[in-house]
């Protein structure tokens, strides 16, 4: 059965190998370029004492052409999409046809009437495919992690939704889940195309649900309060809205900020501009009229003077690998469900 | 000195009350058939009669909704012990189209404990079918031969063939039936063959036993010689055949000059005053049963 499974899927394995080689051919020069220019810039900035603006300098020296997703000329957005698509493609094109094609071609009736139990047939098939998937995804993610290391150091963003899904060991768990789901839907529908479409739909749902609703709660977040005397505070102020946010915690580089909002001196959330600072924000106070003094005041300084600060929850950067391990484990554990259902479908249903 | 005595089964296949329901439709119901060890049995019936369903239940691909089958002393299952005894060829002759015949044979060699590679290769060489070409590029008839070789080279004790000759040209059909008969003869009673077909001419050539299925029900299951003995055509004057407990009418036809009735005899002796008793061939008998069930189905208003 091992020999046969190898014969049956060796072309697919070869194609996966070629895909890896192509990716390596892109990722290795890219990673070398980033790392090399980063190291060079680090030496230069120490000499000229400009390390505070290292990132900007690197962007101007050419990184922006490949790295900045917002730059119109940036090629990396597409590249990132392709990397994020890897588990989806595996689920759709390796997982879904695995059993669906046997049903569709009727070859299940050939193979299930050789002298091999369906149980053994399925076990060996799944082992080969899932192990191949894990190896492929592992090497793929290792390449991604490797070429991203300069960016990880500079931007401290590997907790971000896209970076987290691309690097480390999470892609392995996700790829195994994707292929397991594909296999199950293939066995359920007995039609490759339908299985492929449903697999894509479910994987998209998982990929939206996990980062938004599950990942933030894998460990109890830390709480902190931040004064308003700092950079990077985002303000959203209108006649009826008032929100202060921070994208990052200055003392916690690389931390994943889950929430941030304005609170007053006693810790109560503040949802409207305090009357004393409305002038500073240029909001009409109606009859009273704003004093010149208030209008000339810095809005944030005014708010700080009213005792406001920002309360934030975050996952500290040192938890990154814990999160990677937990989430990869969650995906692998979830994979047991489609695998179990597949056994049930294949063994208990008619051919 | 004791000799290992293998208990010889009388029947290779024995079913009772066997039924298969797909949603609300019974593809096979209350099927009771016996297939003697070493026989070559024809499973005949119109399309949708339940032939494929019965064969799938026997090989263990599908599970019965009712009743039970005993095949070579076992309930059909998915174990190596059972599957290695059964050679099965599905109707659509499924093969891995990107694999060559040689690849398929290598698969058989890996998966089937009693695989006879020489037999498989010899068959295809005799038929001049290329061993190294992907089977997807072979003709339908050639694919059928590869499928048959896969079933035969497994060296099964029971061979279940679903419409094996449907895709073959007349010459290949004769070739196949001849080698099938030869294989059955060579096995010296150790090989039982059940072959579904709606090509009635094939029956008498190789089969010694017949099962007639129609509308999911067993119409007849017997030795062909016995069937020929117990089925006669009565020819007499226009008018109804007198009722009798000596026979059951299967099919009647009347014209202005004469009446014909194909009957199944309860006893071998029969005399109906004024009526002649004539022999009929198996083809007529099968057609009569098929026609009977079709008429019944039509009057019931049932589909198929």
């Amino acid at each position: 059965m091992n020999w046969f499974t190898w014969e049956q899927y060796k072309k697919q394995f070869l194609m996966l190998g070629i895909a890896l080689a192509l990716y390596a051919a892109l990722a290795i020069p890219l990673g070398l370029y980033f790392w090399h220019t980063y190291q060079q810039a680090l030496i230069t900035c120490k000499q000229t004492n400009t390390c505070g603006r290292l990132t900007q300098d690197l962007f101007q020296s050419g990184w922006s052409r490949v790295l900045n997703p917002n730059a119109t000329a940036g090629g990396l957005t597409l590249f990132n999409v392709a990397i994020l698509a890897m588990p989806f493609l595996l689920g759709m094109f390796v997982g879904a046809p695995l059993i669906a094609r046997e049903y569709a071609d009727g070859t299940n009736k050939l193979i299930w009437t050789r002298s091999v139990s369906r149980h053994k047939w399925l076990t060996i098939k799944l082992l080969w495919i899932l192990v191949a998937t894990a190896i492929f995804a592992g090497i793929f993610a290792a390449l991604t992690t490797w070429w991203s290391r300069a960016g990880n150091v500079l931007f401290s963003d590997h907790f971000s939704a896209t970076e987290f899904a691309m690097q480390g060991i999470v892609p392995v768990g996700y790829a195994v889940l994707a292929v397991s789901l594909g296999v199950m839907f293939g066995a359920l529908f007995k039609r490759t195309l339908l299985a492929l479409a449903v697999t894509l739909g479910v994987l998209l749902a998982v990929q939206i649900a996990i980062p938004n609703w599950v990942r933030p709660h894998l460990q109890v977040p830390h709480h902190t309060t931040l004064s308003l005397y700092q950079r990077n505070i985002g303000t959203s102020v209108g006649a009826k809205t008032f929100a202060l946010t921070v994208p990052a915690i200055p003392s916690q580089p690389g931390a994943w900020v889950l929430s941030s909002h304005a609170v007053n001196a006693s810790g109560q959330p503040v949802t409207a501009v305090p009357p004393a600072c409305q002038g500073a924000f240029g909001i009409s106070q109606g009859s009273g009229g704003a004093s010149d003094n208030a209008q000339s005041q810095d809005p944030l300084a005014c708010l700080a003077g009213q005792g406001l600060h920002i309360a934030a929850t975050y996952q500290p950067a040192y938890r990154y690998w814990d999160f990677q391990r937990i989430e990869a484990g969650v995906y692998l554990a979830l994979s047991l469900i489609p695998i179990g259902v597949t056994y049930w479908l294949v063994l208990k249903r008619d051919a | 000195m004791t000799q290992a005595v293998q208990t010889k089964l009388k029947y290779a296949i024995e079913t009772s009350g066997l039924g298969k329901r797909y949603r609300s439709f019974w593809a096979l119901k209350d099927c009771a058939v016996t297939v003697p060890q070493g026989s070559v049995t024809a499973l005949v019936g119109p399309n949708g009669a339940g032939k494929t369903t019965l064969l799938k239940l026997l090989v263990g691909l599908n599970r019965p909704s009712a009743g039970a089958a005993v095949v070579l002393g076992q309930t059909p299952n998915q174990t190596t012990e059972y599957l290695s005894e059964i050679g099965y060829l599905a109707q659509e002759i499924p093969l891995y189209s990107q694999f060559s015949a040689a690849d398929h044979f290598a698969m058989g060699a890996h998966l089937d404990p009693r695989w006879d590679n020489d037999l498989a290769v010899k068959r295809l060489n005799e038929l001049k079918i290329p061993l190294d070409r992907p089977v997807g590029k072979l003709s339908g008839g050639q694919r059928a031969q590869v499928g048959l070789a896969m079933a035969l080279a497994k060296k099964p004790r029971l061979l279940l063939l679903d419409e094996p000759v449907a895709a073959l040209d007349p010459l290949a059909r004769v070739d196949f039936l001849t080698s099938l008969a030869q294989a059955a003869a060579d096995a010296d009673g150790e090989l039982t063959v059940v072959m579904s077909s709606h090509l009635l001419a094939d029956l008498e050539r190789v089969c010694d036993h017949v099962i007639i299925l129609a509308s999911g029900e067993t119409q007849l299951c017997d030795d062909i010689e016995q069937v020929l003995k117990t089925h006669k055509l009565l020819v007499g004057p226009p008018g109804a055949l007198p009722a009798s407990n000596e026979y059951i009418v299967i099919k009647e036809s009347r014209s202005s000059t004469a009446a014909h009735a194909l009957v199944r005899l309860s006893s071998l002796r029969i005399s109906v005053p004024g009526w002649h008793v004539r022999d009929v061939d198996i083809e007529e008998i099968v057609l009569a049963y098929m026609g009977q069930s079709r008429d019944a189905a039509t009057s019931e208003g049932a589909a198929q």
Side-chain angles (χ1 to χ4, degrees), chain A residues 102 109 113-114 347 350, chain B residues 20 63 92 96 112 154:
Chain A
E102 302 259 6
K109 282 175 263 182
T113 54
R114 305 325 298 178
L347 298 183
D350 289 338
Chain B
K20 180 66 187 177
R63 278 160 218 269
E92 65 269 36
Y96 291 98
D112 296 317
K154 195 181 180 186

Side-chain angles (χ1 to χ4, degrees), chain A residues 252-268:
Chain A
Q252 294 278 342
W256 177 25
V257 178
L258 303 179
S259 69
S260 54
H261 59 272
V263 291
N264 61 22
S266 56
Q268 298 300 312

Side-chain angles (χ1 to χ4, degrees), chain B residues 8-296:
Chain B
K8 182 115 179 157
L9 292 160
K10 191 178 175 198
Y11 294 116
I13 299 168
E14 206 172 352
T15 72
S16 61
L18 194 63
K20 180 66 187 177
R21 193 184 58 202
Y22 296 109
R23 298 185 193 279
S24 64
F25 167 68
W26 285 88
L28 188 71
K29 56 191 168 196
D30 202 26
C31 175
V33 297
T34 49
V35 174
Q37 184 93 41
S39 70
V40 178
T41 297
L43 179 60
V44 294
N47 289 333
K51 304 190 294 289
T52 298
T53 302
L54 175 58
L55 292 176
K56 278 184 174 174
L57 293 177
L58 294 178
V59 76
L61 278 176
N62 290 6
R63 278 160 218 269
S65 317
V70 178
V71 178
L72 301 174
Q74 301 181 64
T75 303
N77 59 71
Q78 300 164 9
T79 63
T80 304
E81 295 72 44
Y82 182 74
L83 290 169
S84 64
E85 306 274 22
I86 317 282
Y88 172 74
L89 181 58
Q91 190 166 6
E92 65 269 36
I93 308 162
L95 294 168
Y96 291 98
S97 54
Q98 77 277 21
F99 279 12
S100 68
D103 291 334
H104 280 87
F105 294 167
M107 170 180 128
H110 274 89
L111 302 182
D112 296 317
R114 290 197 299 277
W115 181 258
D116 185 344
N117 208 57
D118 293 341
L119 175 84
V121 171
K122 195 168 140 250
R123 272 193 68 85
L124 291 206
N125 282 343
E126 279 170 3
L127 296 160
K128 298 193 171 57
I129 295 170
L131 279 163
D132 53 355
R133 194 180 299 175
V135 296
K137 291 180 178 165
L138 299 179
S139 73
Q142 288 175 322
R143 285 170 53 89
Q145 290 289 3
V146 175
L148 295 171
M150 288 293 291
L152 281 172
K154 195 181 180 186
K155 288 277 159 190
R157 284 170 63 204
L158 173 65
L159 197 52
L160 301 172
L161 307 171
D162 198 355
E163 302 274 4
V165 294
L168 302 187
D169 62 60
L171 193 64
R173 195 144 68 212
V174 172
D175 278 350
F176 166 66
L177 291 171
T178 309
S179 58
L180 184 65
Q182 190 61 43
D186 290 348
D188 199 23
E190 292 298 318
L191 176 65
T192 308
V193 181
V194 177
M195 178 178 77
S196 80
S197 178
H198 47 217
L199 295 165
L200 304 170
D202 300 334
L203 300 184
E204 279 179 304
R205 206 191 316 269
V206 288
C207 299
D208 52 32
H209 207 80
V210 65
I211 296 168
I212 302 176
L213 278 185
S215 308
E217 290 181 83
T218 323
Q219 308 291 322
L220 188 73
C221 171
D222 212 340
D223 187 86
I224 287 183
E225 274 180 41
Q226 191 64 23
V227 170
L228 292 173
K229 273 185 207 160
T230 54
H231 288 77
K232 298 291 173 189
L233 185 68
L234 302 183
V235 182
L241 182 67
S244 162
N245 56 8
E246 284 181 324
Y247 50 76
I248 300 159
V249 177
I250 307 299
K251 186 190 160 196
E252 274 184 295
S253 61
R254 296 195 192 92
S255 68
S256 54
T257 53
H260 294 74
L262 201 145
V263 296
R264 177 158 76 206
L265 306 182
S266 313
S267 65
L268 290 184
R269 240 172 278 166
I270 177 174
S271 62
V272 188
W275 291 66
H276 299 284
V277 179
R278 288 189 192 156
D279 287 344
V280 283
D281 61 22
I282 189 73
E283 194 168 336
E284 281 179 83
I285 298 167
V286 170
L287 284 172
Y289 275 101
M290 286 189 193
Q292 183 197 38
S293 83
R294 185 193 55 207
D295 296 344

Side-chain angles (χ1 to χ4, degrees), chain A residues 165-189:
Chain A
M166 279 161 55
Q167 299 182 33
I169 56 173
V170 156
V172 177
Y174 198 57
V176 168
L177 175 64
V179 171
S180 308
L181 281 169
V183 170
M184 178 189 75
F185 288 123
L188 180 66
F189 299 126

